[in-house]
């Protein structure tokens, strides 16, 4: 068996029968292209009981490695850390430089990262754009709380980007498109305020919380600039 697959014993939650599951600890889509779609449509995580046919979805950590597009996304369900420095992993992939390495805590953001990096976008700038537009969406919906949102469309030709947001307790989906100029502006902000983050070692979590922090730093700097101008 390849070293990226482990066998796990699973007790069926329906019939109680002891079964087995093959679990991928990592996938390298440059080596095995077919795994990409199996990850994205969730097939890789689906399990069915041979005795009663019960179907379940398995949640486990998986490292997604796309060498061609130079990114790695580590899905670790419910991880609540900002940075993960895994010595063993760093050594294993030390020959790969300038690779974007991310951790995500849930499947949706995991899929989103793959989409962003495959599209050749900067995920930090996307996250900031998403945050800025979510505020507009919230206003449009009468101040509804936006629980989460994902980049769902990117079209270089029509110069647009689309985000799907989930609003309120019912998590109603709301799609909002935006011109790429907002993304460009976000990228300028990132280039100024996320220099340190870009140099960080290991896997980092670039999410809404991170974007809020960058936006805060940006606004504070703008405020100081204004004050300095007044002094002149
Ligand atoms: Zn069963």
């Amino acid at each position: 068996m390849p070293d990226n697959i482990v066998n796990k014993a699973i007790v069926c939650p329906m019939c109680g029968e002891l079964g087995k599951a093959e679990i991928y600890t990592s996938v390298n889509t440059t080596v095995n292209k077919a795994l990409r779609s199996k990850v994205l449509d969730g097939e890789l995580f689906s399990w069915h009981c041979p005795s009663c046919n019960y179907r379940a979805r398995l949640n486990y950590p998986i490292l997604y490695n796309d060498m061609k597009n130079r990114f790695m996304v580590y899905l670790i369900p419910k991880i609540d850390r900002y940075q993960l420095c895994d010595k063993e992993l760093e050594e294993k992939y030390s020959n790969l430089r300038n690779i974007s390495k991310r951790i995500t805590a849930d499947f949706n953001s995991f899929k989103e990262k793959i989409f962003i990096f495959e599209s050749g976008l900067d995920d930090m700038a996307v996250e900031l754009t998403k945050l800025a537009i979510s505020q507009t969406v919230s206003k449009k919906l009468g101040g509804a709380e936006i629980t989460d949102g994902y980049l769902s469309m990117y079209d270089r030709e029509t110069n647009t980007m689309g985000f799907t947001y989930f609003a309120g307790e019912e998590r109603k989906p709301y799609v909002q498109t935006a011109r790429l100029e907002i993304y460009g502006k976000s990228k300028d902000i990132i280039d100024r305020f996320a220099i340190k983050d870009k140099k960080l070692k290991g896997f980092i979590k670039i999410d809404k919380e991170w974007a809020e922090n960058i936006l805060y730093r940006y606004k504070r700097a703008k405020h100081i600039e204004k004050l300095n101008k007044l002094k002149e």
Side-chain angles (χ1 to χ4, degrees):
M1 198 168 12
D3 68 349
N4 61 331
I5 304 174
V6 291
N7 258 320
K8 261 208 164 150
I10 287 188
V11 176
C12 174
M14 194 52 88
C15 71
E17 199 68 44
L18 184 65
K20 269 199 302 190
E22 277 195 345
I23 282 177
Y24 280 77
T25 52
S26 66
V27 293
N28 184 329
T29 53
T30 312
V31 175
N32 187 342
K33 282 200 173 75
L35 283 176
R36 179 188 171 272
S37 57
K38 281 191 181 177
V39 167
L40 292 175
D41 65 18
E43 196 197 317
L44 206 76
F45 308 98
S46 81
W47 174 81
H48 91 272
C49 172
S51 319
C52 74
N53 252 339
Y54 175 76
R55 291 189 172 273
R57 191 189 166 84
L58 304 173
N59 268 317
Y60 56 82
I62 187 165
L63 177 66
Y64 186 97
N65 182 6
D66 183 335
M67 285 152 58
K68 200 179 128 249
N69 290 308
R70 310 192 71 74
F71 71 89
M72 290 164 99
V73 189
Y74 204 164
L75 167 64
I76 304 175
K78 295 194 171 121
I79 189 163
D80 124 35
R81 281 168 59 179
Y82 167 64
Q83 188 183 15
L84 179 81
C85 281
D86 188 309
K87 223 180 147 205
E88 210 177 295
L89 272 178
E90 292 297 319
E91 273 162 21
K92 195 173 167 190
Y93 298 103
S94 62
N95 56 329
L96 305 172
R97 291 195 185 272
N98 294 319
I99 299 266
S100 300
K101 285 180 276 186
R102 300 292 181 254
I103 32 173
T104 60
D106 64 272
F107 188 64
N108 283 341
S109 6
F110 173 69
K111 276 209 303 195
E112 184 193 34
K113 289 291 175 201
I114 296 171
F115 178 48
I116 291 171
F117 289 126
E118 282 183 352
S119 306
L121 294 166
D122 178 316
D123 71 322
M124 292 180 171
V126 169
E127 209 57 56
L128 197 61
T129 308
K130 195 206 290 178
L131 177 64
I133 295 171
S134 81
Q135 291 164 354
T136 314
V137 169
S138 173
K139 264 183 214 154
K140 266 191 189 173
L141 298 175
E145 195 202 342
I146 307 294
T147 44
D148 50 340
Y150 305 94
L151 179 73
S152 47
M153 189 269 281
Y154 170 56
D155 191 338
R156 206 188 287 260
E157 270 162 42
T158 59
N159 197 28
T160 46
M161 212 166 212
F163 292 94
T164 304
Y165 293 100
F166 295 92
E169 266 176 46
E170 311 105 73
R171 290 177 53 77
K172 259 188 155 170
Y174 187 94
V175 179
Q176 177 70 52
T177 53
R179 309 269 304 164
L180 281 189
E181 280 79 13
I182 306 177
Y183 170 77
K185 198 181 173 215
S186 298
K187 213 164 176 314
D188 291 342
I189 295 174
I190 296 298
D191 290 342
R192 266 185 76 196
F193 294 92
I195 300 163
K196 256 193 194 164
D197 307 66
K198 293 227 171 193
K199 285 184 191 151
L200 280 176
K201 278 205 163 176
F203 290 77
I204 54 172
K205 200 195 255 174
I206 301 302
D207 57 1
K208 186 183 171 193
E209 213 181 307
W210 179 86
E212 280 168 347
N213 189 267
I214 291 288
L215 198 62
Y216 170 77
R217 279 188 247 167
Y218 166 69
K219 283 184 175 164
R220 191 181 51 189
K222 252 178 68 174
H223 182 67
I224 293 170
E225 272 168 27
K226 222 190 214 170
L227 289 179
N228 285 339
K229 260 187 200 145
L230 287 175
K231 274 190 223 152
E232 274 167 19

